[in-house]
Structures are given as structure tokens and as C-alpha cells.
Amino acid sequence: AAVPVFTGKANCPYYAKAEHLADYLQATLPSFRVHKITQHPDKWEQWLHDICETNGWEHRQSPIIWRELLDRGGKGQLLGGLNDFLEYAQQYYGVTSMMLSEEMLDIAKENLQAHLEIVKEDEEIKSLIKPMQIWITSASTPICYQLIPLLANGEVFGMTTEISIHLLDTGQFKEVLCGIVMEAEDMAFPLLRSILEHTEIDEAFIEADVIIVLDDVLLNLEVQSLENYIREVSEICQVYAPLIEKNAKSEVRVISSGKTFANLKALLIMTYCPSIKPENIIAIAASWESAAKAMLARKLNMSTAGVKDVIVWGNTTGSNYIDLSHAKLYGYDSAIWGPANFQRPLLNMIYDREWIHSEFLSVQGSLRSRVSRCTGMLPAHAVATVLQYWYHGSPPGEIVSVGVLSEGQFCVPEGIIFSMPVRFQNGNWEVIKELEIDATTQEVLGRLAHELTQ
């Protein structure tokens, strides 16, 4: 069977005439079938050039008509343009078109309008199924490697949300990025539509819904001063910010993580990206929260999941304060038992206050050394958890610590990124202002805020 294929510019009167005759033949002849492809006027020349080059045809105007040999495969047989088709219809079927020029022009106008409406409808449908665009900077780091499966398994954004992951790093890490891409593709995650590597900074953050900033500087104060490291971080953020403004979606969410200067990176991106809402830029403190809960659970010989509402105040990658005054224990094995929602204040259960101050809270304590040694799994889990809460809400009644822009809550100066207790709901977060803090904690917060401001 040979099916005639009609293609022309949507606004072409000659295409309108050929199409009209083809419709008449299709309606009157049971065995006559046609296939029509309407092209937008702007795309017509390139499309015609490509189809002719592929098939070895010589044809320069609209419409172009050929017979597709469906049962034999291979390239189609060119019939030609409007005059060739009129001749073909007259010769084989004894039919010709009496359509006048005015009618041809009117139908061509209608064709263009109908084509534009179909294109618009297609674009709207595609936008509904377009994957979420996730960009990760400094993507050669172990955190990124551990983060990809957590993002792609569906638990963070939802089991019906497809994602595209974009890995951004400098040219020297191209091979590493290609390796990560191949491995992720081999895992065949159902919701991972694509994963791509990028080493050209100009193409960064295109259509980004989420940006995860993992850039770090290797901190060695014997080699360089703190000011020099801060300048280095500032330069990185000054490169990213205009690209985020230009390329990312207006509602993009930016997460600052890594081992150094997470609060500073968030604040700099906020400063250099005035069009991005400040509440859409946060710093991750969940690594400290998780490690603290685990350390407390080991001390109490219980499950880490049962330790709730440990608060991290201050700098998420620097001087901070782990506040246990609101912490609670669920499912703690003691003389008193209750239902699943029965809780005990943590400080009532730890009698070894010396351990809290020497091991847990001190600058040289094991908690600080544990977090600083974590290179991949824990920080990746922290990013994934906060993203999941951001999109689907945090567990009701639970406190989550996040570095956010201070508006003066808890007497923390305005305008710095400071880790404080928040709750996530309905795609947003809010600081839990009603939390009562004692004089000792208030004093510590003043010291941390001063240090961060400096």
C-alpha cells in the first residue's frame, strides 16, 4: 500500500488547495488514504531542506507530496508539488479541484490558526509532564554521588514526579561526571528521565527548579587567611548568581550544603540574586541534627529514630550550638511505658551532665569530629531529607533545624543566615517563633550571631 503524504506551510494557499482535493478523494474513495503534516512557516524551509536531503529529492516550494511505501519500507516516491498532484488526481481518478484563489487564501489562514492552536495545546500537555530540573554544583564530590540515588528513587519529590539531574563542575572533572552519568543510567531509575554532565558554565541552571550548591574550599588556615577563603567563596557565588537570575525558573529553590561556609554561600547567593525570594534559599543543618541524635541514642542505648526535636542554632558549617532543652525521647526503654506517641524529656533521662559538656557539646568533642569526617552519606541524606520536607511537609509537631535569613526572631540580628527551628508545610517553611528559650541559650545565640556577623 502506498499512502500519499502531504506536507506544507500552514499558511500556504497551494497547500490548502492540495489538502482540500485530498480530503475530497479520501471522502469519496474507500481505498484512498492520506497522511498530512502541517509545518509552521518559520520551520518550513529547514524542514523541507532536511527531508529532501535525507531522500535525495529536488523540491523547493510548498507543498511537497510523496507516496510512502508502507509495506516495503525504504524511502518514499516523490510526486512533487500542487500541479503534480492535480495531474495525478486527474489521471488516476478523473477528479480535479475547482477551488478559487480567494478560497485558497481563506483556508490557508484557517490552517495557520488551527496549527498554532494545536502547537499551543501540545506545549501545554508537555509542560504538565516535563520533568523537574535539578542542578548540582561541584558534582564530582562524594556528597553528589551519594545524593543521586536518594533523589532518583522517588521519595524526595514524589513517586509520580519525573526528574532530570544536571551535574555541573569544571572541565578537569569531566571524566568523573561522565562516569557518574553512566552509572546512574545503568541503574534505570523509573523516575529519572535524564542525567547530564555540564562543564560549560554558560549553560548552568537552565530551567532549574532546584539548585544544590556543594562547592567547598579546602580550609587550611596555616596556608591562607580566613579572609582569602571567604573571598574565594564570594567569587564562586558571584559567578553563579547572574546565571541563576538569567537561566533558572523564578521560583527556583536553592540549597546550600557542603563542609564549609554553607551559611555564607546562601547569604551571598541571596545578595547577588535579588529577584529570587529570600525564603527560597536555605542552608542545611540536618547533618548536625542527625549526628547529634545518633550520638544521644548510643548513649541511651535506644533507636536513633526515637530522638526528636534536637535544635541546631547558628552556623551550619561552623560554630553552632546543639540545644537539647526541647529534645524528646519516644519508645525509650524505661520503667514507664506508654503508647507510640508517649514521650519523655531527653534531659530527664541523661544524668551524666559531664558527658554532655565534655564529649557532646565541646569544640574538641566527638560529635564535632564525627560531623567533620563525614564526606558523603550523611550530608547527602541531610539534603534529601530537607528537600523532601520542603515539598511534602515535615512530620507534624517535629522541629527541623535549617539555616534561614533572620528577621530578628529569638533576638538574632536581621540579615544573616542563621540555623534555627522551623516547620515545613504546604511547600513553605516557617520559623517556630513560639519556642521558649532560656537565658543561657539566649546568651549563646548572641555570641554565635556576633561571630557570624563578623
Side-chain angles (χ1 to χ4, degrees):
V3 175
V5 181
F6 289 71
T7 303
K9 273 194 292 189
N11 63 347
C12 171
Y14 302 108
Y15 175 56
K17 186 166 184 168
E19 186 189 28
H20 185 264
L21 179 56
D23 288 344
Y24 173 77
L25 289 171
Q26 193 163 247
T28 53
L29 302 168
S31 61
F32 188 87
R33 288 286 171 270
V34 296
H35 179 65
K36 290 184 276 187
I37 306 169
T38 307
Q39 292 292 341
H40 191 283
D42 295 348
K43 295 180 179 174
W44 167 252
E45 291 297 336
Q46 186 60 50
W47 190 90
L48 180 63
H49 173 269
D50 293 345
I51 197 88
C52 288
E53 197 170 88
T54 304
N55 290 282
W57 295 335
E58 279 292 329
H59 192 84
R60 290 286 167 266
Q61 71 277 350
S62 169
I64 178 171
I65 302 159
W66 69 90
R67 292 165 76 223
E68 196 80 55
L69 306 172
L70 296 183
D71 55 348
R72 275 171 274 166
K75 67 179 183 179
Q77 179 187 349
L78 180 66
L79 281 176
L82 172 64
N83 290 338
D84 300 296
F85 179 59
L86 291 174
E87 198 177 306
Y88 169 83
Q90 180 72 51
Q91 189 180 338
Y92 282 89
Y93 304 110
V95 176
T96 190
S97 173
M98 303 305 289
M99 187 187 276
L100 302 170
S101 299
E102 204 172 308
E103 284 180 89
M104 287 162 60
L105 289 166
D106 287 343
I107 290 174
K109 272 186 199 168
E110 285 174 22
N111 277 350
L112 179 60
Q113 194 56 43
H115 178 71
L116 293 174
E117 282 170 15
I118 289 164
V119 167
K120 189 182 174 192
E121 202 174 287
D122 284 350
E123 281 173 359
E124 282 171 2
I125 290 166
K126 281 177 189 167
S127 75
L128 293 174
I129 57 167
K130 204 174 181 185
M132 184 178 271
Q133 305 293 319
I134 319 294
W135 283 78
I136 306 173
T137 73
S138 206
S140 60
T141 59
I143 301 177
C144 175
Y145 184 77
Q146 301 283 352
L147 183 58
I148 289 167
L150 301 178
L151 297 177
N153 68 15
E155 287 180 18
V156 173
F157 300 108
M159 301 308 286
T160 56
T161 304
E162 289 193 339
I163 64 169
S164 284
I165 296 176
H166 300 266
L167 308 177
L168 178 68
D169 215 321
T170 54
Q172 70 188 95
F173 296 109
K174 189 175 177 68
E175 212 172 299
V176 176
L177 298 186
C178 290
I180 296 171
V181 166
M182 283 177 68
E183 198 169 341
E185 286 173 345
D186 290 347
M187 290 174 82
F189 293 103
L191 295 172
L192 183 60
R193 178 86 69 87
S194 64
I195 179 163
L196 303 161
E197 48 85 17
H198 302 268
T199 52
E200 296 295 328
I201 192 69
D202 296 347
E203 61 190 41
F205 314 126
I206 290 171
E207 291 293 292
D209 292 288
V210 174
I211 297 170
I212 300 163
V213 180
L214 299 179
D215 295 74
D216 269 325
V217 292
L218 294 167
L219 216 54
N220 184 348
L221 295 176
E222 291 171 13
V223 176
Q224 271 196 75
S225 68
L226 191 62
E227 286 75 15
N228 282 346
Y229 286 118
I230 288 171
R231 195 173 295 115
E232 210 175 304
V233 173
S234 182
E235 283 166 7
I236 292 167
C237 294
Q238 283 181 69
V239 170
Y240 288 161
L243 293 165
I244 294 172
E245 289 260 302
K246 178 183 159 202
N247 295 338
K249 290 185 182 155
S250 59
E251 290 296 310
V252 64
R253 297 177 183 190
V254 181
I255 282 188
S256 174
S257 184
K259 295 179 75 172
T260 57
F261 300 113
N263 289 43
L264 180 64
K265 285 183 290 189
L267 184 64
L268 289 168
I269 289 169
M270 206 176 279
T271 305
Y272 299 135
C273 287
S275 69
I276 308 294
K277 291 192 291 193
E279 59 266 32
N280 279 14
I281 302 170
I282 64 173
I284 295 292
S287 295
W288 285 96
E289 211 177 280
S290 300
K293 288 175 180 177
M295 198 168 166
L296 291 161
R298 279 190 291 273
K299 178 72 174 171
L300 292 160
N301 196 25
M302 65 177 288
S303 162
T304 304
V307 183
K308 307 284 186 189
D309 299 350
V310 172
I311 302 172
V312 181
W313 298 94
N315 191 345
T316 62
T317 50
S319 297
N320 53 38
Y321 172 59
I322 312 295
D323 181 2
L324 304 181
S325 59
H326 301 273
K328 303 175 189 73
L329 304 177
Y330 292 81
Y332 178 57
D333 189 0
S334 67
I336 303 170
W337 272 87
N341 62 351
F342 176 66
Q343 35 117 339
R344 318 283 299 275
L346 181 139
L347 288 176
N348 289 3
M349 301 295 110
I350 293 187
Y351 303 105
D352 188 352
R353 294 304 163 97
E354 179 56 38
W355 174 84
I356 290 176
H357 290 288
S358 63
E359 278 296 304
F360 189 72
L361 295 180
S362 76
V363 176
Q364 291 81 29
S366 54
L367 175 63
R368 202 156 287 276
S369 66
R370 287 184 80 84
V371 175
S372 61
R373 282 203 309 270
C374 291
T375 56
M377 216 186 303
L378 177 62
H381 178 260
V383 171
T385 302
V386 170
L387 265 175
Q388 184 181 5
Y389 290 167
W390 208 347
Y391 279 87
H392 302 291
S394 50
E398 276 190 38
I399 293 170
V400 184
S401 301
V402 178
V404 298
L405 185 68
S406 169
E407 294 177 351
Q409 303 97 329
F410 309 108
C411 301
V412 172
E414 288 182 36
I416 58 170
I417 300 281
F418 198 86
S419 179
M420 51 180 80
V422 307
R423 64 171 74 89
F424 288 90
Q425 54 190 19
N426 305 322
N428 300 305
W429 55 262
E430 61 175 358
V431 175
I432 306 172
K433 297 175 193 162
E434 63 272 19
L435 217 60
E436 287 183 21
I437 57 171
D438 57 29
T440 311
T441 304
Q442 192 64 69
E443 192 185 318
V444 174
L445 296 194
R447 199 166 64 244
L448 293 174
H450 176 73
E451 192 178 308
L452 256 176
T453 309
Q454 294 299 97

